[in-house]
Amino acid sequence: SAASDVYKRQIYFYGDMDMEERLTYLDEAYLSKFDVLKIDSAIRLQKPFAAPVQVEKKYPVLDSDDITNAAYYSYNVSICSSLDRQLYIALQVLDYALCSAPGAPVKVALMEKGIGEDVYSVCENGILQPYFSFVAKNAGLSDQKAFVETVEQALREQVKNGIDKNALLAAINCYEFKYKEADFGAYPKGLMYGLQALDSWLYDDRLPFIHIEANDTFAELRKEVKSGYFEGLVQKYLLDNTHRSVVILQPKSGLLEEQEQKQRKKMAQVKAAMSPDELEAVKETFRKLTEFQESEDAKEDLEKIPLLKREDMKKEANLPVNEVRSIGDTTLL
């Protein structure tokens, strides 16, 4: 196949099954029909910034909108690699302790100065190069400098005085409980484990399970709460890291009209360059699309949609049974 059509596929099974039977079927029905190609599909780390960068963009608002507190600020850092199994979870712990927990220091520092009506953090650790962000939403138009200074000052104080050990332990307990409970709600467990495997498997074929087998990782992180490990991460990745950016979004009245005008001009240029036959072909395509969208579905197509019949429904409820117990003078449901 053409080079543009070459890509790597990863296949996984989940559940109690006859593995030999499944693999045989997969080979006979699918894989044996393809040749083996050695391709370079590695996803590489982005080259770090030599120095932090600042990016300012405009976003459209209506003339009638109040823009007094309509700026958005984010302080963002790129962090190492998701193949570091300890760092993978430690970032989530920091996210909680620094900005999500009750009384989290970075959030409190920004809110006390009135920088942003909503303050939150983002920890994206499911990609090769995780990133960590502090965001102030609906902030003052002139709060840009104060935002950066406040974030950095709060982080320096955490390094100097130590992060609240209870907050770190609470975060570890929370994420460890979720990990062990493995309750994904309406989502199939096999699907969620497969997606988590991809957090490392996509970037190293030898490491599909490092984030799924995390008991030892949580035990190690628990030992690091008093060692200065988390404070070191703040210093290294959130303060001293040059692969960092500050992104600023400022409101601008009339921007939407400017964008629409540019789009109309672009479309006019495209139309002017088309021949009468090409224009007619576009009109015919649009006519057919409209006709398709407005037409009724054929009866034979509707009949292809699978529907449950009454006999498909079980009478038994697949729910846990409520049980009343008494312990001393206390009744428990």
Side-chain angles (χ1 to χ4, degrees), residues 36-82:
V36 175
L37 292 176
K38 290 187 177 181
I39 58 173
D40 183 4
S41 62
I43 299 172
R44 292 175 174 79
L45 293 172
Q46 184 188 38
K47 184 179 179 181
F49 297 160
V53 301
Q54 180 169 300
V55 179
E56 183 169 343
K57 296 289 183 179
K58 303 292 184 182
Y59 75 92
V61 292
L62 299 176
D63 292 338
S64 58
D65 288 344
D66 181 8
I67 62 171
T68 305
N69 293 305
Y72 293 74
Y73 303 111
S74 67
Y75 180 103
N76 321 283
V77 293
S78 177
I79 301 177
C80 195
S81 163
S82 61

Side-chain angles (χ1 to χ4, degrees), residues 29-203:
Y30 178 48
L31 295 176
S32 61
K33 303 182 187 303
F34 294 87
D35 294 329
V36 175
L37 292 176
K38 290 187 177 181
I39 58 173
D40 183 4
S41 62
I43 299 172
R44 292 175 174 79
L45 293 172
Q46 184 188 38
K47 184 179 179 181
F49 297 160
V53 301
Q54 180 169 300
V55 179
E56 183 169 343
K57 296 289 183 179
K58 303 292 184 182
Y59 75 92
V61 292
L62 299 176
D63 292 338
S64 58
D65 288 344
D66 181 8
I67 62 171
T68 305
N69 293 305
Y72 293 74
Y73 303 111
S74 67
Y75 180 103
N76 321 283
V77 293
S78 177
I79 301 177
C80 195
S81 163
S82 61
L83 297 178
D84 184 327
R85 64 192 307 163
Q86 187 163 303
L87 188 60
Y88 177 86
I89 298 175
L91 292 178
Q92 295 175 294
V93 174
L94 280 179
D95 177 36
Y96 179 88
L98 295 176
C99 204
S100 299
V106 176
K107 184 171 186 175
V108 167
L110 289 168
M111 297 298 286
E112 285 181 346
K113 292 189 178 181
I115 302 174
E117 296 175 5
D118 187 17
V119 174
Y120 58 92
S121 54
V122 177
C123 171
E124 177 53 75
N125 61 350
I127 54 178
L128 178 59
Q129 277 180 282
Y131 66 84
F132 196 105
S133 301
F134 297 106
V135 182
K137 180 180 177 182
N138 292 338
L141 304 184
S142 59
D143 284 341
Q144 168 187 332
K145 183 178 179 182
F147 167 75
V148 176
E149 290 177 348
T150 302
V151 169
E152 292 182 340
Q153 178 60 30
L155 294 176
R156 283 194 292 268
E157 288 177 359
Q158 292 304 296
V159 173
K160 179 181 178 181
N161 302 324
I163 302 172
D164 184 349
K165 303 299 183 288
N166 289 330
L168 292 173
L169 285 171
I172 293 172
N173 290 339
C174 174
Y175 290 118
E176 185 175 20
F177 179 79
K178 288 182 179 179
Y179 163 73
K180 291 184 175 180
E181 188 180 36
D183 182 0
F184 302 111
Y187 296 98
K189 187 174 290 188
L191 172 64
M192 301 310 293
Y193 278 140
L195 292 174
Q196 189 172 28
L198 291 175
D199 286 358
S200 56
W201 193 19
L202 279 175
Y203 315 118

